[in-house]
Amino acid sequence: MAITSQIKSSAYFGEADIVQWKTAGLLKPSVTKPVLATVEKNLVIKKLGQLHEKDRQAVKKVLQTILG
């Protein structure tokens, strides 16, 4: 899923707030967007961080809602 720091005042369907954004290594408060993509491994320049378990569970719940 896409992650952005462009946060609107109210969450849209498929979005999940990244509560532990500093722990995840993100630079600003962020939210996931319901945009799924596959990226070839050789196109990844660097890894910014890793989501905290609580945030991973929130993203998992959103994915289950989207995908059924």
Side-chain angles (χ1 to χ4, degrees), residues 3 27 37 51 55 57 59 64:
I3 297 179
L27 302 175
L51 291 179
D55 289 323
Q57 291 301 318
V59 171
Q64 288 174 335

Side-chain angles (χ1 to χ4, degrees), residues 37-53:
T38 301
V39 179
E40 291 184 37
K41 192 173 185 175
N42 64 335
L43 296 176
V44 176
I45 297 169
K46 69 178 182 177
K47 179 179 173 180
L48 289 177
Q50 184 172 334
L51 291 179
H52 184 273
E53 180 61 29

Side-chain angles (χ1 to χ4, degrees), residues 18-37:
I18 306 300
V19 179
Q20 300 289 328
W21 59 272
K22 284 184 182 179
T23 304
L26 300 172
L27 302 175
K28 297 179 180 181
S30 300
V31 64
T32 62
K33 295 288 185 178
V35 177
L36 302 176

